[in-house]
Amino acid sequence: MSMSHAYGVPDDQESIATLHYALDLGINFWDTADIYGNGANEELISKVLTTNRNKIFIATKFGFRVGENGKENYFDGSPDYIKTAVEASLKRLKTDVIDLYYAHRIDPNVPVEEMVGAMADLVKEGKVRYLGLSEASANSVKRAHAVHPIAALQSEYSVLTRDPEKDVLQVCKDLGITFVPFSPLSRGLMTNTLNVNELADNDFRKTLPRYQQQYRENNEQLAQSFAELAAQKGCSPAQLALAWLLAQGDHIIPIPGTKKRNKLQDNAGSVDVEISAEDLKEIDAIVARYPNIGERYSEANYKLVDKN
């Protein structure tokens, strides 16, 4: 997402170099969505995907549509739209099959069984290999899985965002579903390198509560304490945050997003960081010391998160 959407100004040249470097590092699970730059990210990825198709497991998402005012997004999980969306993504990605196709949200106006049934038709047609959901409740995951196997659930999960621990993580484990945490670095907060004052005016994070003044000081202090623990372990804060996620279960694959090679290399080093039970306790203690974190989304964003 950060390459084409929501996080400041795109840099296609560096993004493409980062994609090639990902392959050099053995990172072959790539995640995009048709709404990222209104298709621009799928087109960007295609420049590397087409010549490396057998090396890459490509995932994309559908459902978000731009309203008539050109700004507000709404979700469309209708069977008719799914047929249109998948053809557009296949064309932009320049491939004949999508490895993992996610519903980007759950449509409150379309029964999840109906939506997943239409997605399952794409598997039968050979256009999609596996199905996924994003930001779905435990109940919706169970209902969807009863219609067609759900291979992956993608939701926000990080040191600061623990919502999936209530029930979703366990449901995924019970059903054999891979859990894919997005924003695993809390949209950059946990790197302890982010200066909110330097964010571009069009940066999505400027609309989120955690970046507002009433929470900023708390979160900067939390990130600093977390970085100090990382330094004691001889790793970067980003590596420690990702290692924490990997320690939460063997069915978890976090997807940190970056458009820069140096940050990609740093993130990749997380697999070499060993987390002890004592480390987990210390991380929880740091979060407990700074509880005024703020909500991960604005009220408008939360309206699109499934709670049923």
Side-chain angles (χ1 to χ4, degrees), residues 11-258:
D11 181 347
D12 288 355
Q13 184 174 350
E14 177 63 16
S15 292
I16 288 174
T18 300
L19 291 170
H20 282 293
Y21 189 40
L23 287 179
D24 292 342
L25 294 174
I27 299 171
N28 62 351
F29 176 38
W30 294 7
D31 179 280
T32 183
D34 58 7
I35 194 64
Y36 297 165
N38 290 323
N41 191 247
E42 290 181 328
E43 292 174 348
L44 178 76
I45 284 176
S46 75
K47 296 176 182 179
V48 181
L49 181 69
T50 50
T51 53
N52 295 280
R53 186 64 187 93
N54 63 334
K55 300 177 184 177
I56 299 166
F57 186 94
I58 189 70
T60 192
K61 302 180 283 291
F62 76 88
F64 275 124
R65 304 183 70 175
V66 180
E68 292 182 1
N69 61 6
K71 294 181 180 180
E72 291 183 18
N73 294 334
Y74 67 99
F75 190 81
D76 187 349
S78 65
D80 284 346
Y81 181 64
I82 291 170
K83 294 176 185 176
T84 301
V86 73
E87 295 298 339
S89 285
L90 286 167
K91 184 176 180 180
R92 285 190 292 262
L93 289 166
K94 297 179 182 176
T95 186
D96 57 359
V97 62
I98 293 164
D99 294 309
L100 174 59
Y101 200 45
Y102 289 100
H104 211 151
R105 292 292 186 272
I106 300 297
D107 191 334
N109 302 310
V110 177
V112 68
E113 292 86 356
E114 188 176 325
M115 181 181 74
V116 173
M119 294 169 69
D121 288 341
L122 303 180
V123 178
K124 294 174 186 173
E125 294 166 9
K127 295 173 181 176
V128 169
R129 289 196 172 104
Y130 300 100
L131 303 184
L133 301 175
S134 180
E135 294 277 32
S137 69
N139 181 51
S140 291
V141 171
K142 291 175 185 176
R143 288 169 56 192
H145 196 69
V147 175
H148 186 279
I150 299 299
L153 172 65
Q154 177 177 146
S155 296
E156 185 169 352
Y157 185 38
S158 68
V159 170
L160 298 189
T161 300
R162 306 290 186 93
D163 302 1
E165 293 176 355
K166 295 172 185 174
D167 51 13
V168 165
L169 274 182
Q170 189 60 49
V171 166
C172 286
K173 191 165 188 175
D174 292 344
L175 296 177
I177 298 171
T178 298
F179 187 81
V180 181
F182 72 77
S183 299
L185 302 177
S186 303
R187 303 189 188 276
L189 273 174
M190 296 311 295
T191 66
N192 196 41
T193 60
L194 192 69
N195 187 335
V196 176
N197 295 322
E198 294 178 354
L199 295 180
D201 290 340
N202 64 342
D203 195 300
F204 170 62
R205 289 170 290 193
K206 283 203 165 183
T207 69
L208 303 179
R210 286 179 182 169
Y211 291 84
Q212 307 312 311
Q213 193 61 48
Q214 63 266 42
Y215 305 112
R216 188 186 303 179
E217 184 177 350
N218 176 89
N219 292 334
E220 287 175 350
Q221 291 176 342
L222 192 160
Q224 176 63 37
S225 294
F226 187 82
E228 290 168 2
L229 177 62
Q232 291 171 23
K233 289 188 63 63
C235 66
S236 72
Q239 290 171 346
L240 183 60
L242 293 170
W244 178 88
L245 270 171
L246 292 168
Q248 304 308 308
D250 56 9
H251 64 310
I252 293 176
I253 304 175
I255 46 169
T258 182

Side-chain angles (χ1 to χ4, degrees), residues 239 242-243 246 266-274:
Q239 290 171 346
L242 293 170
L246 292 168
D266 184 47
N267 291 341
S270 62
V271 298
D272 298 320
V273 177
E274 294 186 9

